[in-house]
Amino acid sequence: MPSTVEVKSELVRFPASQTGERVAEVATVLRLAGGLHTISGRIALEAELHTPQIVQRVRKDLAELYGVRSEAKQLPPTSTRPGAPQFLVRVIDGETLARQLGLLDQRRRQIRGLPNRLTTGAPAELAAIWRGAFLARGSITPPGRSVGLEIGCPTNEVAMALVGAAHRIGIDAKSREIRGQHKVLIRDSETIGQMLGAMGASEARAAWDELRKARETRATANRLVNFDDANLRRSAQASVAACARVERALEILGDGVPEHLRYAGSLRLTHREASLDDLGARADPPLTKDAIAGRIRRLLAMADKEAAARGIPGTEANLPEELDSL
């Protein structure tokens, strides 16, 4: 059962070799996990991250791709935000880097969404966007009642950019605002497996698919059991109803019931749980299912006709009030 921590641990080891993929990933991490701040008149680029491994990956990409040195420190522990980021990566002179990443517009304002050149890139770069988004603010819930993969986004524009990137690689994702926070959600279990594979978490995908198939098999088995239970319940109700009507029919007709019909009724009452096939086999001589059913049907019809002529309750008078409880 892959957890959020396990998925991030696998993604942070993914060997992104192409420059375009690395740029897409690190730009997305910095957009979702951080922001631009002015410190002593200079624009600083900061990102709050969850693990030392993610910190190391981001700092390595910044150094190798842009020649930028970054600072890293551990944030003070907080008891009010469980699962909050524990580390901060900061680039003091970050304006040039922010422009290179596409995080600043021409007026030195932080863009609302993701850089356009990233969201229109090749499939591998679109997958890298999602990998960066998950490393920054992603979480996964195991298959169950509230199964889901979700990304917390700073703005609606970022959420829509992620939805568009997912659609371009053939994966369905949706944007929602939940308690004032913008999120991108994938709820379908099979689609979550596809996204795990696309991001590069092949081990997590294998474990996820195995768990999903096991749950689907179990659910199918449960449905079959429930179906069988319903059939048994209906059979029990039918048996109780038939026996109650036969008893009333024999009571109404008394000595006037034809012997072959009395014999069929007695078989029904003696073997209350037996099927019509079984009743026919128990008869002497044996009867077919249709023959035994026809005799019981004629017995009930004769009794109901006699009851109507005498103005007394018919064969349904003895039926239990709540057959559904059986």
Side-chain angles (χ1 to χ4, degrees):
M1 182 187 300
S3 65
T4 299
V5 173
E6 290 168 337
V7 173
K8 289 187 177 184
S9 178
E10 183 177 0
L11 290 179
V12 84
R13 300 192 308 269
F14 182 82
S17 57
Q18 298 297 319
T19 299
E21 295 178 45
R22 298 176 69 187
V23 169
E25 180 186 313
V26 72
T28 305
V29 169
L30 294 174
R31 180 67 186 92
L32 270 71
L36 302 175
H37 305 280
T38 301
I39 301 177
S40 301
R42 295 179 296 180
I43 293 180
L45 183 59
E46 295 182 340
E48 295 182 356
L49 305 171
H50 287 85
T51 70
Q53 291 76 21
I54 301 175
V55 170
Q56 183 179 3
R57 186 176 176 97
V58 169
R59 295 186 73 195
K60 180 180 179 182
D61 283 341
L62 291 178
E64 294 181 358
L65 294 173
Y66 300 102
V68 171
R69 294 185 60 184
S70 57
E71 301 175 356
K73 68 176 183 177
Q74 187 165 1
L75 295 169
T78 172
S79 59
T80 58
R81 295 176 58 201
Q86 302 295 314
F87 303 91
L88 176 70
V89 172
R90 175 186 292 157
V91 178
I92 296 297
D93 287 309
E95 181 172 349
T96 300
L97 173 62
R99 290 185 182 278
Q100 290 174 316
L101 290 170
L103 301 180
L104 270 184
D105 64 16
Q106 295 180 348
R107 297 184 180 181
R108 302 180 71 204
R109 297 176 304 187
Q110 182 167 281
I111 62 169
R112 295 282 301 169
L114 291 175
N116 184 63
R117 67 174 182 271
L118 300 184
T119 56
T120 57
E125 295 172 0
L126 297 172
I129 288 175
W130 266 83
R131 184 166 56 251
F134 195 92
L135 287 172
R137 291 295 181 268
S139 64
I140 189 169
T141 306
R145 291 187 175 180
S146 59
V147 57
L149 184 154
E150 65 178 46
I151 309 290
C153 300
T155 66
N156 182 55
E157 288 82 357
V158 170
M160 295 307 299
L162 286 176
V163 169
H167 287 175
R168 288 188 181 93
I169 55 177
I171 296 177
D172 186 35
K174 299 186 183 300
S175 173
R176 294 284 186 273
E177 184 175 348
I178 302 174
R179 292 188 293 275
Q181 183 178 7
H182 299 286
K183 293 187 176 184
V184 177
L185 307 171
I186 301 177
R187 293 299 191 198
D188 180 71
S189 290
E190 186 174 354
T191 306
I192 291 173
Q194 294 173 359
M195 181 56 81
L196 289 173
M199 291 190 298
S202 55
E203 294 177 10
R205 179 181 187 175
W208 180 274
D209 286 343
E210 183 177 348
L211 178 62
R212 175 178 60 83
K213 290 174 182 177
R215 286 184 176 272
E216 288 177 354
T217 300
R218 201 153 50 238
T220 300
N222 289 338
R223 283 195 296 271
L224 290 175
V225 168
N226 292 336
F227 179 76
D228 289 342
D229 286 346
N231 283 342
L232 289 173
R233 187 167 57 251
R234 282 193 292 269
S235 296
Q237 292 174 345
S239 176
V240 169
C243 290
R245 293 190 68 192
V246 167
E247 286 179 341
R248 177 61 179 163
L250 295 176
E251 178 185 332
I252 293 171
L253 295 173
D255 294 335
V257 59
E259 185 57 34
H260 68 293
L261 300 186
R262 181 190 301 278
Y263 180 66
S266 297
L267 274 177
R268 174 76 281 174
L269 296 178
T270 303
H271 307 286
R272 292 175 177 263
E273 304 298 328
S275 65
L276 291 173
D277 279 324
D278 194 19
L279 285 181
R282 291 174 181 272
D284 185 18
L287 298 170
T288 65
K289 171 185 176 180
D290 290 338
I292 196 74
R295 291 188 182 187
I296 293 175
R297 192 162 52 244
R298 287 195 296 276
L299 172 65
L300 299 178
M302 182 180 293
D304 282 333
K305 183 177 181 181
E306 177 65 19
R310 291 159 54 186
I312 61 174
T315 59
E316 295 186 356
N318 282 6
L319 289 179
E321 292 183 2
E322 295 185 358
L323 282 176
D324 286 340
S325 64
L326 298 174

